[in-house]
Structures are given as C-alpha cells and as structure tokens.
C-alpha cells in the first residue's frame, strides 16, 4: 500500500511541461569531444526554435525532432543546448535559428495568447506554433510537450543573456548550453528558473479563485505571484493571498510543481487554510476574486455554470490544484 505521507500527486496529474523523458546527461556537458561525436551521429535529433516558437512539421503526424541536415539547411544555430539522451543513447539538442531565418507575417496577440504568425520562407512543410497552443491542443504527446518546454526555456535564457550582468561585456555559450561565461571579468552565469507560488486559499467547503483582466471571458483561476528574495514558499503564499484578496492564511501545504516556460518559471502549487473571510481585492492585480463552493466549481469543470464561469485549462497546474481539492478533501 502506498504511504499516504509520500503519495506523489504530481504523477497522477496531467498538466503540461512535466515528465521530460530525456536523461539530461549533465556529466558529459564539459566533454567537447563526446558532444561533437553525439552531434554528428546519424541518430542525433534537434528541437528547432524560431524566435521563441517551436517548429513542427505540417500534416497529421506533427514531428518536432529534426536531423542535423534540416538545421544546416535553415542556416545553422544561433544558440544550441544538449537537452539530453534518449533511451537508446541518441542525443537530442535544442537549436534556436537566426532571427533572419524567420519572417513575421502578422501579430494578432491579445495579451493572453501569443498569436504572432511566423513563417520560414521557402519551407511550406514546416510550421511555427506557439507552445501554449501546442499544449492546449495536444498536437504532440504530453512527454514531447515537456521536451519542447525544456528547449524553449533554455534557449530563451540564452537569447536574453548575451551580455554579462556583472560587467556588461558580451558572454559566450559554454557547457553545451548550460552556462554562459564572460571572458572580461571571468564570471560564470547559469540558466535561471524563477519560482512562482500558485495557490488556493481554503475556507471549509469553499475555495478562493480570482481573475485577471487578460484572462479569457468567465475564467477564474488560482491566485499566483513571484516568490521574492528572502521568502519561504509558505510566506510567499500567505503574502500573495493577502495582497491580492485581503485574506489572511495560516497553514500552507505544498502539492505539486510545474515547469512553466514563459519564459522560465516554476509554478509551485499549494493549498492554504484561510483564517479570515472578508475579501478586499487589489484592483491592480485582479478584476475579481470570489469564494466558490464545491458544487459551483464542479459546474465550472463540467461547463454548466449558470453564469458561464469556467475553470482554468487542464494544461495548467491551477486546473489540477482545484480538481485535487475538489476530489480529495484535504
Ligand atoms: Zn563580465
């Protein structure tokens, strides 16, 4: 029988970007000869990113792992990282194309979804698709979404760290994509992950959800915010709930976490026990926040809420955090 204390709810969750299948093989990152050998093997594959969007083949079977020749044909990498090894030892790299290889035809982004229309001129069989849409629409297998997320996060970091934060000189890529080095001041820079707390405050049979103005119409979700320096996860959970809703919380419990590559966050999912009831909403952060009882949340999940209110999409940890509370009665 499973020990309830160590039960791993994240294994049962179906949220996106978790469960990357590759062996990260960090022990070979400094071995340039081994990396060169793996890269030139016929079975080496490349996740290709243009601007910050993954490249997929068009058609029914949406492939996203390309041979070296495709990368070379598209002008080679601007930056590259070893994502890891497949179970048969074949290497998978992430490569970001030069921006000039990509053409932007339109930008219909609405602040929530990335709706830039990007194309690779002369490559009618390839398509750039934003990662949120890939995750929401399920056009590749869930484990593949994790690999695409890993690729996007590490390459976004390189794209934004071309200069040393210590002295301002240009930095160069090292350790096959897992470090940047400054030759001027000798500083080493490592890929960042930014922790975000995302949580439900609970009041008996009710949970607290809010909505930001940029959310799709009718959608309510868990409150969230960045962890600040010098804060524990529990303190950040209590502070964010207090700032956004005026609710004071006591005990906090961690549930699960989700990599969120927009650009490089880690969502830390928690439940918190409310000690007050009266809401005082921060209008800068939230358009609205409310207590929801179990029946109402159930109706939101089943898309039969009388006011058309909706739960967050199942790609997001917020969806599973709410469902966990709904199903498991902590
Ligand atoms: Zn420097």
């Amino acid at each position: 029988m499973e020990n309830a204390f160590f039960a791993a709810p994240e294994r049962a969750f179906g949220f996106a970007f978790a469960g990357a299948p590759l062996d990260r093989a960090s022990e070979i990152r400094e071995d340039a000869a081994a990396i060169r050998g793996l890269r030139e093997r016929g079975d080496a594959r490349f996740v290709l990113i243009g601007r910050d969007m993954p490249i997929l083949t068009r058609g029914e079977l949406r492939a996203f792992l390309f041979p070296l020749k495709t990368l070379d044909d598209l002008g080679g990498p601007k930056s590259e990282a070893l994502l890891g090894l497949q179970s048969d030892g074949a290497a998978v790299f992430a490569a970001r194309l030069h921006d000039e290889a990509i053409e932007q035809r339109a930008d219909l982004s609405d602040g929530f979804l990335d709706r830039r229309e990007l194309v690779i001129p002369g490559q009618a069989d390839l398509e750039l698709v934003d990662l949120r849409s890939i995750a929401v629409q399920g056009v590749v297998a869930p484990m593949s979404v994790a690999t695409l997320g890993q690729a996007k996060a590490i390459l976004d970091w390189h794209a934004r760290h071309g200069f040393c934060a210590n002295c301002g000189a240009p930095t160069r890529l090292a350790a096959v994509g897992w470090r940047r080095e400054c030759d001027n001041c000798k500083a080493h820079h490592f890929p960042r992950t930014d922790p975000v707390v995302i949580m439900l405050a609970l009041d008996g049979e009710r949970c607290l959800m809010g909505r930001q103005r940029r959310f799709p119409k009718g959608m309510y979700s868990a409150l969230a915010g960045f962890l600040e320096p010098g804060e524990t996860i529990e303190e950040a959970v209590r502070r964010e709930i207090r700032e956004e809703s005026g609710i004071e919380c006591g005990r906090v419990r961690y549930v699960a976490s989700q990599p969120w590559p927009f650009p490089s966050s880690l969502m830390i999912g928690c439940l918190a026990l409310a000690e007050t009831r009266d809401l005082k909403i921060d209008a800068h952060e939230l358009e609205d926040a409310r207590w929801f009882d179990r029946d109402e949340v159930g109706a939101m999940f089943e898309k039969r809420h009388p006011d058309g209110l909706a739960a967050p999409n199942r790609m997001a940890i917020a969806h599973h955090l709410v469902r966990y509370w709904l199903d498991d009665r902590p």
Side-chain angles (χ1 to χ4, degrees):
M1 200 174 109
E2 189 165 21
N3 181 334
F5 188 74
F6 284 103
E10 82 277 10
R11 289 204 197 134
F13 290 159
F15 50 70
F17 310 119
L22 302 174
D23 169 2
R24 288 175 178 248
S26 56
E27 68 282 3
I28 61 170
R29 288 175 185 167
E30 308 286 348
D31 186 342
I35 297 296
R36 201 161 44 242
L38 283 168
R39 193 177 186 277
E40 286 165 5
R41 269 169 54 166
D43 58 4
R45 289 294 177 269
F46 294 77
V47 175
L48 301 179
I49 304 279
R51 307 283 172 109
D52 53 5
M53 273 195 200
I55 296 173
L56 307 178
T57 58
R58 288 186 195 273
E60 214 157 303
L61 289 172
R62 312 276 274 171
F64 67 93
L65 291 173
F66 297 92
L68 179 57
K69 183 177 184 311
T70 307
L71 173 59
D72 288 341
D73 289 348
L74 296 174
K78 182 180 183 192
S79 57
E80 193 171 290
L82 175 68
L83 296 181
L85 306 178
Q86 305 201 65
S87 55
D88 61 0
V92 178
F93 295 85
R96 183 181 167 111
L97 302 183
H98 293 274
D99 288 353
E100 307 83 78
I102 312 295
E103 191 181 300
Q104 182 168 314
R105 293 263 168 90
D107 187 355
L108 304 172
S109 302
D110 58 7
F112 190 74
L113 289 176
D114 180 356
R115 292 205 171 105
R116 288 170 300 164
E117 190 190 332
L118 302 176
V119 296
I120 310 174
Q123 300 286 338
D125 55 334
L126 299 179
E127 185 177 20
L128 291 103
V129 185
D130 97 89
L131 190 53
R132 264 197 189 84
S133 302
I134 292 174
V136 169
Q137 292 164 14
V139 294
V140 302
M143 277 178 17
S144 304
V145 174
T147 298
L148 291 172
Q150 184 190 358
K152 180 180 182 304
I154 186 70
L155 294 176
D156 278 1
W157 180 76
H158 285 290
R160 290 177 293 113
H161 291 80
F163 295 90
C164 180
N166 190 42
C167 77
T171 55
R172 62 179 170 75
L173 187 149
V176 68
W178 293 93
R179 192 168 65 235
R180 294 192 75 88
E181 296 181 359
C182 174
D183 291 329
N184 186 48
C185 75
K186 310 297 179 207
H188 285 188
H189 302 281
F190 296 92
R192 287 285 309 270
T193 295
D194 300 319
V196 175
V197 287
I198 180 161
M199 58 272 159
L200 283 183
L202 305 180
D203 170 32
E205 294 293 293
R206 302 189 301 169
C207 77
L208 177 67
M209 291 194 283
R211 59 170 280 111
Q212 299 174 18
R213 264 174 205 87
R214 63 190 186 90
F215 282 4
K217 192 169 176 291
M219 189 186 102
Y220 279 73
S221 186
L223 305 186
F226 283 100
L227 203 90
E228 293 188 348
E231 237 177 0
T232 66
I233 290 171
E234 293 85 346
E235 287 164 349
V237 164
R238 291 189 199 105
R239 176 183 55 76
E240 283 290 340
I241 294 174
R242 182 171 58 245
E243 287 175 0
E244 294 189 6
S245 71
I247 298 296
E248 298 287 344
C249 287
R251 289 175 61 188
V252 172
R253 192 196 140 188
Y254 166 79
V255 178
S257 64
Q258 177 189 32
W260 190 251
F262 304 99
S264 56
S265 293
L266 177 72
M267 310 302 282
I268 303 168
C270 296
L271 302 176
L273 290 181
E275 295 184 336
T276 63
R277 310 284 172 267
D278 296 333
L279 294 163
K280 188 165 167 276
I281 296 162
D282 176 357
H284 291 291
E285 295 274 347
L286 296 177
E287 185 181 79
D288 188 28
R290 285 184 38 193
W291 291 105
F292 291 83
D293 66 25
R294 289 179 187 274
D295 289 345
E296 196 172 11
V297 174
M300 290 162 79
F301 274 109
E302 290 162 20
K303 297 187 169 47
R304 53 173 178 79
H305 190 283
D307 301 327
L309 303 187
N313 186 278
R314 59 173 291 112
M315 76 175 277
I317 190 173
H319 174 107
H320 300 273
L321 208 52
V322 179
R323 194 172 278 290
Y324 183 64
W325 164 73
L326 196 61
D327 293 346
D328 286 65
R329 300 187 176 255

